[in-house]
Amino acid sequence: MNTCTAVALLPPPRHVIALSVPGHRPEAGHVLCELGENHDADHAAMLWDEGGRPGSAVWARWSEERAELASLPWCPARDAREEACGLFAGHPPGHSWEITDPIDEAITRGLGLV
């Protein structure tokens, strides 16, 4: 299955703005959904792994009406090679190894890396 093509422009969280250096306000940034296409839940993109809380990461989750940051545990599923899924627990169908990014594949082929 291909990746979802949803993109969102999210503002920096208020606490990040409050901690920023005067005159250097953080800018909004784009996030790309990492879930499989045609999923039936919020879009989601991992922002950072929570090193202080092993087993979880901070994800941006959004819909047409809202956006939020959420600390979510990693999906416990593993593939046949014992590689972990790179998505959060309870994600919509399609583990990370089942989701294909056609643009990444095209670039890889174009560079002769396959």
Side-chain angles (χ1 to χ4, degrees), residues 18-113:
L19 295 171
S20 65
V21 176
H24 298 299
R25 181 185 164 131
E27 296 181 19
H30 289 91
V31 290
L32 308 171
C33 185
E34 296 181 38
L35 302 174
E37 63 187 347
N38 302 319
H39 60 85
D40 60 355
D42 286 349
H43 300 289
M46 199 226 7
L47 299 178
W48 64 83
D49 186 14
E50 289 189 294
R53 283 186 57 199
S56 66
V58 174
W59 292 77
R61 298 188 72 184
W62 72 95
S63 66
E64 292 290 325
E65 298 83 34
R66 62 168 184 69
E68 67 181 8
L69 298 184
S71 176
L72 301 171
W74 290 106
C75 176
R78 297 192 174 270
D79 67 8
R81 296 174 302 178
E82 286 299 306
E83 303 236 355
C85 177
L87 300 173
F88 55 90
H91 61 81
H95 291 293
S96 59
W97 59 81
E98 299 169 315
I99 299 171
T100 303
D101 180 349
I103 294 172
D104 185 53
E105 285 194 349
I107 291 170
T108 301
R109 275 193 312 275
L111 294 174
L113 300 174

